[in-house]
Amino acid sequence: MAENNVVTFLPVLPNGELVGSAAGLLGAAGRLGSPVAVIVAAPGQGQAAAAAAGTFGAQRVYLAETPQTQSVLTAPALEAVAAAVGATGAEAVLVPNDVDGRDIAGRLAVRLPAAVAADAVGIARDAEGNVVHHSVYGSAYTTESAPTHGTLIVTLREGAVDERAQAAEPTVETLEVPEAGSAAAEITGFSENLQASTRPDLRSAATVVSGGRGLGSAEGFALAEQLADELGGGLGASRAAVDAGYAPNSYQVGQTGVTVSADLYIALGISGAVQHQAGMQSAKTIVAINKDPEAPIFDIADFGIVGDAFDVVPQLITRLKERAGGGS
Amino acid sequence: MKIAVLVKEVPDSYGERKLDTTTGLADRGASDRVIDEITARAVEAAVSYADSAQDAEVVLVTMGPESAESMLRKTLAMGADSACHISDEALTGADLGLSAEVLAAALRRIGFDLVIAGDVSSDGTGGLLPTMLAQRLGVAHLTSLDSAQISETEVSGERGTYGGTVSLRADLPAVVSVTERMPDPRFPGFKGIMSAKKKPLETLTAADLGVDAQADVPRSIMLSVTQAPARTAGTKVTDEGEAGTQLADYLAEKRLV
Ligand SMILES: Cc1cc2nc3c(=O)[nH]c(=O)nc-3n(C[C@H](O)[C@H](O)[C@H](O)COP(=O)(O)OP(=O)(O)OC[C@H]3O[C@@H](n4cnc5c(N)ncnc54)[C@H](O)[C@@H]3O)c2cc1C
Ligand SMILES: Cc1cc2nc3c(=O)[nH]c(=O)nc-3n(C[C@H](O)[C@H](O)[C@H](O)COP(=O)(O)OP(=O)(O)OC[C@H]3O[C@@H](n4cnc5c(N)ncnc54)[C@H](O)[C@@H]3O)c2cc1C
């Protein structure tokens, strides 16, 4: 499988840095063949991202620098990915399962045409071809899918693949992005999220602490923040906490939010509705602190505490600090 | 102005959702079937615009089993004008590509200025169909909008992205998809429910739309389905003043801190 090229779209942040999903995408691509990265960035911002893609295992990078990334939705990235697929004859195309990745995948699937494997948690290659693994219905089932024929397009769940490809010295080829081939929405503005978080990304963090409506207020939600920071973990929330304004949308864990891939998940003041469980029940160890002994979260918790989070968590933090400080 | 809203019937996530481990198909008998909440928000966006507009017509469109008809009737009561139900045994287990082909053909037949969909289904979780439709229909897409403004000639809105929020706009016709940050769907009143009974509801097959479900084009197929072992409860303690310390020790013992 010498020349089995796997085209991998790597989104970049407004400052030109690669988004955190890059390492997992290239790791997954490496399982199928030779990772070929596609990077679309504003003029002057692509080279650093291309070099970073090499450290994550890209063998080749197609780089398109165009001011259109800031003014036209999807089309520049779509054209770049389509050009890379054309140039490499790729058997598979990987994009992150985020809004931009899905838009590229959807249009490309119709254009090629090609089958799409949605929300994949893993990919492998066997004698018959590429096989995609999914975790569906809130982790209640695992499934395997494959395309009948043709190129395979995969939207990969962020944080799901731990495998990393070996660093490479990529050849970087510049792509001229043609004018959008079809009608596209215009990007009329961008407002930066100023309080960029220093915490690990919720999707891929090894430890996640989430707060629910039980924390009672935005001030109360700070309890979850303190514990997350003490543990160096990501911060999540239930939909009720997001709806109540304790936490931003992007923190939502569950069926209509993020699916975490954590080793440790700690739920504070969260009842454990099925839709919440859908995003966290595959965590390796689940800890729940809830005042209500009947809360459904206890049915899936490895360690459950019936109690007030405002009593338990401060004591937990004190004890963790003691341990870190060399106490027993 | 004609707005087509893509509504979908899904297994109720409050119940137990099952997949048939032999066929890989959703086990439709296993749980109640309800309108996917996100598509009810899409309907809300359409009817609230229609409430304030001169001549806006709202058409509900779904592809799904026979049972979806009662979902359409219920949803018409929110204030939509008519519904189109694509129901065909040949479409059972349709993948995204076939679903997009069918729905695009239906939308072309119905005619539209704006298509409103949910961002991601609660069962298939693809989040791809709206953009696939935009590509098939040759129009712009504005997906995963947290807010949307509709006018007679254009649609605009905001969506979350890495590091911030982008504002988008496009001339109509266009396809948009909305997130659960959009307003809650209204509860239909008595008048709405009564008038829904008489609203036009058309049922179509794949053949009516000129779609061949067996065509030899690339499809996604399911090779296997396995039920994940159910999670069980572990240790449960009641806090008597020491639970925080106990938890710290538990985490340390399991090398999680
Ligand atoms: C289509 C659909 C999609 C959904 N998607 C999601 C999703 O993605 N994510 C999600 O989370 N939800 C989702 N939901 C909502 C879900 O059904 C629940 O409503 C939600 O998860 C409840 O959040 P909660 O546990 O914070 O609030 P509640 O259910 O109100 O629970 C609060 C808990 O806090 C406990 N408590 C109160 N005070 C304290 C205290 N001082 N210390 C400790 N415990 C305390 C209470 O005993 C209670 O158990 C969805 C619903 C639908 C219909
Ligand atoms: C567990 C599971 C996994 C699946 N995985 C795959 C896969 O990997 N690849 C694949 O090709 N297919 C897959 N399918 C099939 C796929 O779900 C269906 O083709 C479905 O019709 C559309 O995909 P979606 O539900 O993911 O839609 P999404 O793209 O998530 O839907 C977004 C919006 O599109 C509209 N919409 C979606 N479906 C319909 C409909 N039937 N009628 C009207 N409006 C609709 C709604 O407004 C919805 O909110 C899977 C199905 C299941 C149940």
Side-chain angles (χ1 to χ4, degrees):
Chain A
M1 75 182 195
E3 264 303 290
N4 185 14
N5 292 310
V6 182
V7 166
T8 311
F9 174 72
L10 305 180
V12 292
L13 293 169
N15 66 9
E17 267 173 45
L18 284 182
V19 169
S21 54
L25 281 161
L26 291 168
R31 290 197 56 128
L32 300 186
S34 172
V36 176
V38 176
I39 294 171
V40 182
Q45 289 203 326
Q47 289 297 340
T55 65
F56 296 131
Q59 300 281 343
R60 198 182 323 167
V61 177
Y62 283 97
L63 176 62
E65 290 190 329
T66 162
Q68 279 198 15
T69 58
Q70 289 148 336
S71 61
V72 184
L73 187 69
T74 311
L78 172 69
E79 295 304 332
V81 171
V85 171
T88 59
E91 245 184 54
V93 179
L94 305 189
V95 303
N97 186 9
D98 59 27
V99 287
D100 296 301
R102 290 198 291 266
D103 284 347
I104 296 166
R107 286 202 179 257
L108 188 67
V110 172
R111 198 156 127 170
L112 285 176
V116 203
D119 196 21
V121 297
I123 42 181
R125 201 176 155 75
D126 70 11
E128 282 163 44
N130 300 326
V131 177
V132 184
H133 300 265
H134 310 252
S135 171
V136 306
Y137 281 179
S139 310
Y141 293 86
T142 55
T143 65
E144 289 177 316
S145 77
T148 51
H149 56 282
T151 306
L152 166 67
I153 302 176
V154 180
T155 63
L156 189 70
R157 185 183 293 178
E158 294 166 88
V161 171
D162 292 331
E163 208 149 339
R164 295 295 176 257
Q166 226 169 32
E169 286 285 333
T171 47
V172 179
E173 292 175 40
T174 310
L175 278 180
E176 292 302 325
V177 179
E179 282 292 301
S182 43
E186 205 181 305
I187 299 176
T188 54
F190 174 71
S191 70
E192 204 171 333
N193 191 348
L194 291 173
Q195 21 170 319
S197 168
T198 51
R199 293 189 189 98
D201 185 51
L202 177 60
R203 294 163 211 281
S204 52
T207 297
V208 171
V209 178
S210 288
R213 179 149 53 194
L215 296 184
S217 63
E219 295 71 47
F221 196 80
L223 189 72
E225 293 175 26
Q226 285 159 19
L227 183 56
D229 292 343
E230 180 61 32
L231 295 170
L235 185 59
S238 69
R239 183 164 97 172
V242 170
D243 285 347
Y246 307 168
N249 302 344
S250 56
Y251 286 25
Q252 185 172 318
V253 172
Q255 182 178 298
T256 44
V258 165
T259 301
V260 303
S261 39
D263 294 328
L264 172 62
Y265 187 85
I266 304 183
L268 307 177
I270 292 178
S271 60
V274 283
Q275 296 92 352
H276 186 77
Q277 293 191 11
M280 47 65 77
Q281 67 174 346
S282 59
K284 292 204 184 73
T285 300
I286 296 173
V287 172
I289 304 174
N290 194 305
K291 279 207 290 211
D292 174 8
E294 304 299 324
I297 191 83
F298 289 127
D299 299 342
I300 60 162
D302 299 288
F303 196 91
I305 296 175
V306 181
D308 190 323
F310 292 96
D311 295 334
V312 178
V313 173
Q315 189 183 57
L316 168 63
I317 292 176
T318 307
R319 180 68 171 173
L320 289 171
K321 283 198 199 296
E322 277 170 23
R323 285 191 156 270
S328 61
Chain B
M1 162 103 151
K2 198 166 188 176
I3 305 179
V5 185
L6 295 172
V7 291
K8 189 178 184 191
E9 193 192 46
V10 296
D12 189 352
S13 58
Y14 284 106
E16 197 186 347
R17 298 182 296 169
K18 284 198 172 151
L19 281 180
D20 186 318
T21 47
T22 341
T23 61
L25 296 174
D27 180 347
R28 298 197 195 277
S31 49
D32 288 342
R33 312 264 312 157
V34 296
I35 183 170
D36 203 354
E37 189 202 65
I38 193 64
T39 65
R41 286 179 204 268
V43 177
E44 177 60 38
V47 294
S48 67
Y49 172 74
D51 284 346
S52 65
Q54 284 286 316
D55 300 295
E57 183 191 341
V58 178
V59 189
L60 308 179
V61 183
T62 198
M63 175 184 120
E66 270 172 45
S67 60
E69 186 167 323
S70 69
M71 176 277 287
L72 284 175
R73 279 281 169 222
K74 276 189 206 145
T75 312
L76 279 168
M78 285 177 69
D81 298 288
S82 63
C84 172
H85 181 194
I86 305 128
S87 177
D88 193 328
E89 282 297 313
L91 298 173
T92 308
D95 73 344
L96 279 152
L98 180 55
S99 303
E101 186 182 354
V102 169
L103 288 166
L107 289 165
R108 253 192 232 106
R109 175 179 161 128
I110 293 164
F112 64 91
D113 297 293
L114 178 64
V115 177
I116 310 183
D119 62 339
V120 180
S121 297
S122 63
D123 57 349
T125 70
L128 290 156
L129 202 86
T131 314
M132 294 175 81
L133 290 173
Q135 178 74 17
R136 280 196 169 267
L137 297 166
V139 302
H141 68 264
L142 292 81
T143 42
S144 296
L145 297 183
D146 291 332
S147 65
Q149 297 83 41
I150 303 167
S151 79
E152 257 166 53
T153 52
E154 67 166 55
V155 58
S156 59
E158 279 81 47
R159 81 169 181 184
T161 183
Y162 292 107
T165 304
V166 285
S167 305
L168 303 171
R169 71 156 294 285
D171 291 332
L172 299 183
V175 173
V176 311
S177 76
V178 299
T179 72
E180 60 181 11
R181 302 304 148 214
M182 293 285 286
D184 286 338
R186 65 190 62 191
F187 289 106
F190 179 71
K191 242 177 77 188
I193 295 169
M194 291 315 288
S195 66
K197 295 193 167 136
K198 290 180 233 94
K199 287 178 177 169
L201 191 156
E202 186 183 25
T203 305
L204 299 172
T205 62
D208 293 334
L209 294 166
V211 173
D212 174 8
Q214 308 304 327
D216 184 27
V217 293
R219 298 272 184 234
S220 168
I221 48 172
M222 217 185 267
L223 303 174
S224 72
V225 184
T226 317
Q227 190 158 13
R231 251 197 125 98
T232 49
T235 314
K236 186 163 148 192
V237 301
T238 301
D239 182 28
E240 276 154 6
E242 290 298 320
T245 306
Q246 278 171 279
L247 175 54
D249 295 345
Y250 169 85
L251 295 176
E253 202 179 294
K254 294 205 73 180
R255 299 181 180 279
L256 288 165
V257 288

